[in-house]
Amino acid sequence: MTLKVFNTLTKRKEKFVPLEKGRVRMYVCGPTVYDNIHIGNARSFVAFDVIRRYLEYKGYDVTYVSNITDVDDRTIGRMKKTKISIQELGEKYSDAYFEDIAKLGIRKPDISPRATQHMSEIISLIQTLVEKGYAYVVDGDVYYDVSK
C-alpha cells in the first residue's frame, strides 16, 4: 500500500516521496511554554507521534524536530505577571511539557530547538521575508502577506 498525503499547495492527495530515499525529516510546531499543555496541544503531539512511528515502522530513518517557543507575547506577559525570568519560565514549562508527553506515551523529539537560542536566525529570516515582500511591518510588528 502506498502512503498518500494531502498536499495543501496542490489541494490533492499525492504519493509520499521523501526528499532523500529512506530518510524522513519531520518538523512539527511544539509548545509555547508559558503554561502547562492542554488536551488540544496533546492531540497534535499524539497525532505526529503516530505519524513518526508509522514512518519508522515502514522502514524510514526519521529525524523528528519539534521546537520550543520560549519567547512570544504570552511568555512575556506571564513573565511580567509571575516576576520570574523568561529563562526560568521556559525551563519550568518545558520540563512540564516533557513530563506530560512521557505520561501520554509520546516519544521525545530527536531535537527540540528553543526560539531564544536562535534569535539571530529568526531575525535574519524575518528581514529576508520583509525584503522580498512576503511580510511587512506595521508599528514595529511583522505581518505576513498571505496573498503571496
Short mmCIF file of all heavy atoms in Angstrom, two decimals, residues 85-117:
data_model
loop_
_atom_site.label_atom_id
_atom_site.label_comp_id
_atom_site.label_asym_id
_atom_site.label_seq_id
_atom_site.Cartn_x
_atom_site.Cartn_y
_atom_site.Cartn_z
N SER A 85 12.11 35.13 35.50
CA SER A 85 12.78 35.42 34.23
C SER A 85 12.20 34.56 33.10
O SER A 85 11.62 33.49 33.33
CB SER A 85 14.28 35.17 34.35
OG SER A 85 14.54 33.77 34.39
N ILE A 86 12.41 35.01 31.89
CA ILE A 86 11.95 34.28 30.71
C ILE A 86 12.62 32.91 30.65
O ILE A 86 12.00 31.93 30.26
CB ILE A 86 12.18 35.12 29.43
CG1 ILE A 86 11.29 34.62 28.29
CG2 ILE A 86 13.61 35.12 28.99
CD1 ILE A 86 9.91 35.17 28.30
N GLN A 87 13.89 32.84 31.10
CA GLN A 87 14.61 31.56 31.10
C GLN A 87 13.98 30.60 32.11
O GLN A 87 13.78 29.42 31.80
CB GLN A 87 16.09 31.77 31.42
CG GLN A 87 16.87 32.50 30.36
CD GLN A 87 16.69 34.02 30.42
OE1 GLN A 87 16.17 34.58 31.39
NE2 GLN A 87 17.13 34.70 29.37
N GLU A 88 13.69 31.08 33.32
CA GLU A 88 13.07 30.24 34.35
C GLU A 88 11.70 29.76 33.90
O GLU A 88 11.34 28.59 34.10
CB GLU A 88 12.94 31.00 35.67
CG GLU A 88 14.24 31.27 36.38
CD GLU A 88 14.03 32.15 37.60
OE1 GLU A 88 13.73 33.35 37.42
OE2 GLU A 88 14.15 31.61 38.72
N LEU A 89 10.93 30.66 33.32
CA LEU A 89 9.60 30.32 32.84
C LEU A 89 9.70 29.24 31.77
O LEU A 89 8.97 28.23 31.81
CB LEU A 89 8.91 31.57 32.27
CG LEU A 89 7.46 31.42 31.87
CD1 LEU A 89 6.58 31.35 33.11
CD2 LEU A 89 7.05 32.59 30.99
N GLY A 90 10.61 29.45 30.82
CA GLY A 90 10.80 28.47 29.74
C GLY A 90 11.21 27.12 30.26
O GLY A 90 10.70 26.08 29.80
N GLU A 91 12.13 27.09 31.21
CA GLU A 91 12.58 25.82 31.79
C GLU A 91 11.45 25.12 32.53
O GLU A 91 11.25 23.91 32.37
CB GLU A 91 13.76 26.04 32.75
CG GLU A 91 15.08 26.29 32.06
CD GLU A 91 15.50 25.14 31.14
OE1 GLU A 91 15.41 23.96 31.55
OE2 GLU A 91 15.92 25.43 30.01
N LYS A 92 10.72 25.87 33.34
CA LYS A 92 9.63 25.29 34.13
C LYS A 92 8.60 24.59 33.23
O LYS A 92 8.25 23.43 33.45
CB LYS A 92 8.94 26.39 34.95
CG LYS A 92 7.72 25.92 35.71
CD LYS A 92 7.06 27.06 36.48
CE LYS A 92 5.79 26.57 37.17
NZ LYS A 92 5.15 27.63 37.94
N TYR A 93 8.13 25.29 32.21
CA TYR A 93 7.07 24.73 31.39
C TYR A 93 7.59 23.78 30.31
O TYR A 93 6.85 22.90 29.86
CB TYR A 93 6.18 25.83 30.83
CG TYR A 93 5.35 26.45 31.93
CD1 TYR A 93 5.55 27.77 32.33
CD2 TYR A 93 4.41 25.69 32.62
CE1 TYR A 93 4.81 28.32 33.36
CE2 TYR A 93 3.67 26.24 33.66
CZ TYR A 93 3.87 27.55 34.02
OH TYR A 93 3.13 28.09 35.05
N SER A 94 8.85 23.91 29.91
CA SER A 94 9.45 22.90 29.01
C SER A 94 9.57 21.58 29.75
O SER A 94 9.23 20.52 29.20
CB SER A 94 10.83 23.34 28.54
OG SER A 94 10.75 24.46 27.71
N ASP A 95 10.06 21.63 30.99
CA ASP A 95 10.18 20.41 31.79
C ASP A 95 8.81 19.76 31.98
O ASP A 95 8.66 18.54 31.85
CB ASP A 95 10.80 20.71 33.16
CG ASP A 95 12.27 21.08 33.08
OD1 ASP A 95 12.90 20.87 32.01
OD2 ASP A 95 12.80 21.58 34.10
N ALA A 96 7.79 20.58 32.26
CA ALA A 96 6.43 20.07 32.45
C ALA A 96 5.92 19.43 31.15
O ALA A 96 5.27 18.36 31.19
CB ALA A 96 5.50 21.19 32.91
N TYR A 97 6.21 20.06 30.02
CA TYR A 97 5.80 19.51 28.71
C TYR A 97 6.41 18.13 28.49
O TYR A 97 5.70 17.18 28.12
CB TYR A 97 6.21 20.48 27.60
CG TYR A 97 6.37 19.87 26.25
CD1 TYR A 97 5.26 19.45 25.51
CD2 TYR A 97 7.63 19.71 25.67
CE1 TYR A 97 5.40 18.89 24.26
CE2 TYR A 97 7.77 19.14 24.42
CZ TYR A 97 6.66 18.73 23.72
OH TYR A 97 6.80 18.17 22.47
N PHE A 98 7.71 18.00 28.72
CA PHE A 98 8.36 16.71 28.50
C PHE A 98 7.82 15.64 29.46
O PHE A 98 7.65 14.48 29.08
CB PHE A 98 9.88 16.84 28.61
CG PHE A 98 10.49 17.54 27.43
CD1 PHE A 98 11.21 18.71 27.60
CD2 PHE A 98 10.33 17.04 26.14
CE1 PHE A 98 11.76 19.37 26.50
CE2 PHE A 98 10.88 17.69 25.04
CZ PHE A 98 11.60 18.86 25.23
N GLU A 99 7.51 16.03 30.69
CA GLU A 99 6.91 15.09 31.64
C GLU A 99 5.52 14.67 31.16
O GLU A 99 5.17 13.47 31.21
CB GLU A 99 6.80 15.72 33.03
CG GLU A 99 8.11 15.90 33.74
CD GLU A 99 7.98 16.69 35.04
OE1 GLU A 99 6.85 16.79 35.58
OE2 GLU A 99 9.01 17.22 35.51
N ASP A 100 4.73 15.61 30.69
CA ASP A 100 3.36 15.32 30.25
C ASP A 100 3.35 14.41 29.02
O ASP A 100 2.56 13.47 28.95
CB ASP A 100 2.59 16.61 29.96
CG ASP A 100 2.24 17.37 31.23
OD1 ASP A 100 2.34 16.80 32.33
OD2 ASP A 100 1.88 18.57 31.10
N ILE A 101 4.21 14.70 28.03
CA ILE A 101 4.18 13.84 26.84
C ILE A 101 4.67 12.43 27.18
O ILE A 101 4.18 11.46 26.60
CB ILE A 101 4.92 14.45 25.63
CG1 ILE A 101 6.41 14.58 25.85
CG2 ILE A 101 4.27 15.76 25.20
CD1 ILE A 101 7.20 14.93 24.58
N ALA A 102 5.61 12.32 28.11
CA ALA A 102 6.07 10.99 28.54
C ALA A 102 4.91 10.21 29.17
O ALA A 102 4.74 9.02 28.90
CB ALA A 102 7.23 11.12 29.51
N LYS A 103 4.10 10.88 29.97
CA LYS A 103 2.94 10.23 30.60
C LYS A 103 1.92 9.76 29.56
O LYS A 103 1.20 8.79 29.78
CB LYS A 103 2.27 11.17 31.59
CG LYS A 103 3.08 11.42 32.84
CD LYS A 103 2.43 12.47 33.72
CE LYS A 103 3.32 12.85 34.88
NZ LYS A 103 2.79 14.01 35.63
N LEU A 104 1.87 10.45 28.42
CA LEU A 104 0.96 10.07 27.34
C LEU A 104 1.57 9.02 26.42
O LEU A 104 0.92 8.59 25.47
CB LEU A 104 0.58 11.32 26.52
CG LEU A 104 -0.28 12.34 27.24
CD1 LEU A 104 -0.37 13.63 26.43
CD2 LEU A 104 -1.67 11.77 27.50
N GLY A 105 2.81 8.63 26.69
CA GLY A 105 3.47 7.63 25.85
C GLY A 105 4.04 8.19 24.56
O GLY A 105 4.35 7.44 23.64
N ILE A 106 4.16 9.50 24.49
CA ILE A 106 4.71 10.16 23.30
C ILE A 106 6.22 10.21 23.44
O ILE A 106 6.75 10.60 24.48
CB ILE A 106 4.15 11.59 23.16
CG1 ILE A 106 2.63 11.54 23.00
CG2 ILE A 106 4.81 12.34 22.02
CD1 ILE A 106 1.96 12.91 23.12
N ARG A 107 6.92 9.80 22.38
CA ARG A 107 8.37 9.85 22.42
C ARG A 107 8.86 11.29 22.26
O ARG A 107 8.27 12.08 21.53
CB ARG A 107 8.95 8.98 21.31
CG ARG A 107 8.73 7.51 21.61
CD ARG A 107 9.19 6.56 20.55
NE ARG A 107 10.34 7.01 19.80
CZ ARG A 107 10.53 6.73 18.51
NH1 ARG A 107 9.65 6.00 17.85
NH2 ARG A 107 11.59 7.16 17.88
N LYS A 108 9.97 11.59 22.95
CA LYS A 108 10.57 12.92 22.84
C LYS A 108 11.06 13.15 21.41
O LYS A 108 11.52 12.21 20.76
CB LYS A 108 11.77 13.05 23.78
CG LYS A 108 11.42 13.39 25.20
CD LYS A 108 12.66 13.51 26.05
CE LYS A 108 13.29 14.87 25.89
NZ LYS A 108 14.33 15.15 26.89
N PRO A 109 11.01 14.39 20.95
CA PRO A 109 11.62 14.70 19.66
C PRO A 109 13.12 14.42 19.70
O PRO A 109 13.74 14.46 20.76
CB PRO A 109 11.36 16.21 19.49
CG PRO A 109 10.23 16.51 20.42
CD PRO A 109 10.36 15.55 21.56
N ASP A 110 13.69 14.16 18.54
CA ASP A 110 15.14 13.99 18.45
C ASP A 110 15.84 15.30 18.75
O ASP A 110 16.92 15.32 19.35
CB ASP A 110 15.54 13.49 17.06
CG ASP A 110 14.95 12.13 16.75
OD1 ASP A 110 15.13 11.20 17.57
OD2 ASP A 110 14.28 12.01 15.70
N ILE A 111 15.23 16.39 18.32
CA ILE A 111 15.79 17.72 18.51
C ILE A 111 14.66 18.65 18.93
O ILE A 111 13.58 18.62 18.33
CB ILE A 111 16.45 18.25 17.21
CG1 ILE A 111 17.51 17.26 16.70
CG2 ILE A 111 17.06 19.63 17.41
CD1 ILE A 111 18.00 17.53 15.29
N SER A 112 14.92 19.48 19.95
CA SER A 112 13.92 20.45 20.43
C SER A 112 14.55 21.83 20.54
O SER A 112 14.87 22.30 21.63
CB SER A 112 13.37 20.01 21.80
OG SER A 112 12.69 18.80 21.72
N PRO A 113 14.74 22.50 19.40
CA PRO A 113 15.36 23.83 19.46
C PRO A 113 14.45 24.84 20.15
O PRO A 113 13.23 24.80 20.00
CB PRO A 113 15.56 24.18 17.99
CG PRO A 113 14.52 23.39 17.26
CD PRO A 113 14.33 22.13 18.06
N ARG A 114 15.06 25.72 20.91
CA ARG A 114 14.32 26.78 21.61
C ARG A 114 14.46 28.08 20.83
O ARG A 114 15.54 28.42 20.35
CB ARG A 114 14.87 26.96 23.02
CG ARG A 114 14.66 25.74 23.88
CD ARG A 114 15.35 25.90 25.22
NE ARG A 114 15.25 24.68 25.99
CZ ARG A 114 14.29 24.44 26.88
NH1 ARG A 114 13.37 25.35 27.12
NH2 ARG A 114 14.25 23.30 27.52
N ALA A 115 13.38 28.81 20.73
CA ALA A 115 13.39 30.07 19.99
C ALA A 115 14.47 31.02 20.51
O ALA A 115 15.16 31.67 19.73
CB ALA A 115 12.02 30.74 20.06
N THR A 116 14.63 31.08 21.84
CA THR A 116 15.60 32.01 22.42
C THR A 116 17.04 31.67 22.03
O THR A 116 17.91 32.52 22.11
CB THR A 116 15.49 32.06 23.95
OG1 THR A 116 15.59 30.72 24.47
CG2 THR A 116 14.20 32.71 24.39
N GLN A 117 17.28 30.45 21.59
CA GLN A 117 18.63 30.05 21.18
C GLN A 117 18.90 30.32 19.70
O GLN A 117 20.00 30.07 19.22
CB GLN A 117 18.84 28.55 21.47
CG GLN A 117 18.80 28.22 22.95
CD GLN A 117 18.80 26.73 23.20
OE1 GLN A 117 18.48 25.93 22.33
NE2 GLN A 117 19.13 26.36 24.44
#
